[in-house]
Amino acid sequence: MQRVVLLLFAFVMFAHAEMTIKQDLSVSAESETTKYRSLVRVSGSEALLNLKTLTLADKNDIIKTYNAINAFLGKNSICKGGSFSIEPLYENKNGARMQVGFESQYSLECVFSEIQNSEFQRILRTIESEVGKNKYLSLGVSRIEKVLDEQALEILTEQLNARLLEFALQKAKEYSNLSHRKCNVKEINLGEESNAPFYAHTATLKSANDGAHLENVSLPTTKNPQKTVHGQVIFNCR
């Protein structure tokens, strides 16, 4: 008789023991891409790369070109950046470091909406015109990427975090019904994962002083990507 009582007591204790469940949950939503991004680069032309001596006048001409571009852009431009460098170019030949020419770099990051595309094209043509006047410089235009607006992305992330919490609370109810216990969300660690779109067109000038003119660069089209937020959830059931 005593053995039966002990077994019954152990069963009751086990039945009331806490149970912990850990699970990774995730929720997704389509995110709308509303912005475009492009990196505009000016670099040294072949003439500069092979130039043995760069005079002060030549350096000043390059600086004037960059200053003219920055003055045109101003503070409120859709293109930001404008820092530049002019440096000797070295190569190692037969164990010796030798100067073979000069190099120069200038870059801008342009972020704009579809209605600002005409402004972006105007900026490209102006930069092309300025660079085309300088035999030592060459213009290249990187691919245009369709990207997410940062503010819209933050709002979407917050909405998905709320949906993830709702999902976890719903799971707690399901586990309560399955286990015949009272299950609650003890802990939830939010994380995020975003599938960013990079579908793009590329336009590149062979050189900025060959008489060619930059055509309008077509904006890319792409499907809206899925934004996913995930988190590890710990359920406590009693």
Side-chain angles (χ1 to χ4, degrees):
M1 186 68 179
Q2 184 179 6
R3 183 180 179 185
V4 174
V5 172
L6 289 174
L7 288 174
L8 180 61
F9 177 74
F11 175 77
V12 172
M13 289 292 292
F14 176 77
H16 287 83
E18 292 187 8
M19 179 173 61
T20 299
I21 303 173
K22 295 182 180 180
Q23 186 177 11
D24 290 327
L25 300 178
S26 63
V27 291
S28 300
E30 188 177 89
S31 52
E32 185 178 1
T33 51
T34 58
K35 295 286 186 178
Y36 298 88
R37 179 174 60 202
S38 182
L39 186 64
V40 179
R41 294 186 181 92
V42 177
S43 57
S45 66
E46 195 72 20
L48 184 64
L49 294 175
N50 295 320
L51 192 66
K52 302 303 180 184
T53 302
L54 189 65
T55 67
L56 179 61
D58 291 332
K59 290 180 182 178
N60 284 336
D61 282 343
I62 295 174
I63 292 172
K64 287 178 181 178
T65 298
Y66 293 147
N67 286 343
I69 296 172
N70 288 339
F72 163 75
L73 294 173
K75 295 182 179 180
N76 299 319
S77 174
I78 60 174
C79 297
K80 305 296 183 182
S83 60
F84 59 85
S85 64
I86 306 170
E87 299 176 326
L89 177 64
Y90 294 95
E91 287 185 2
N92 292 320
K93 293 184 179 180
N94 300 323
R97 187 167 180 260
M98 301 178 59
Q99 183 185 344
V100 294
F102 289 85
E103 60 183 347
S104 183
Q105 298 292 333
Y106 171 97
S107 64
L108 294 168
E109 183 183 47
C110 304
V111 179
F112 55 98
S113 62
E114 186 170 357
I115 61 174
Q116 294 173 310
N117 182 39
S118 59
E119 182 181 352
F120 174 65
Q121 304 294 345
R122 181 174 65 90
I123 289 173
L124 288 184
R125 286 192 293 269
T126 300
I127 295 176
E128 178 203 11
S129 176
E130 291 295 333
V131 171
K133 301 172 186 177
N134 197 311
K135 64 180 179 180
Y136 294 131
L137 298 178
S138 178
L139 171 65
V141 182
S142 74
R143 64 185 184 178
I144 299 177
E145 302 168 338
K146 197 173 184 185
V147 296
L148 296 170
D149 179 80
E150 291 185 6
Q151 184 176 1
L153 185 59
E154 289 179 4
I155 294 173
L156 180 59
T157 299
E158 290 301 318
Q159 292 173 345
L160 288 175
N161 282 337
R163 282 179 51 188
L164 184 60
L165 179 57
E166 292 177 359
F167 189 21
L169 293 174
Q170 179 60 39
K171 277 291 182 182
K173 292 180 181 179
E174 293 176 9
Y175 289 139
S176 295
N177 294 332
L178 287 172
S179 64
H180 303 291
R181 301 166 184 249
K182 178 62 176 178
C183 297
N184 296 298
V185 176
K186 180 180 179 181
E187 184 177 329
I188 178 169
N189 298 313
L190 299 177
E192 64 173 289
E193 176 184 347
S194 178
N195 299 321
F198 291 114
Y199 298 88
H201 293 293
T202 301
T204 304
L205 289 180
K206 295 181 180 178
S207 66
N209 52 7
D210 60 0
H213 294 283
L214 185 64
E215 297 290 337
N216 281 355
V217 184
S218 300
L219 295 180
T221 57
T222 178
K223 295 181 179 178
N224 289 329
Q226 288 289 315
K227 167 72 177 178
T228 300
V229 167
H230 63 85
Q232 184 182 71
V233 185
I234 299 177
F235 299 94
N236 182 262
C237 302
R238 298 182 179 183

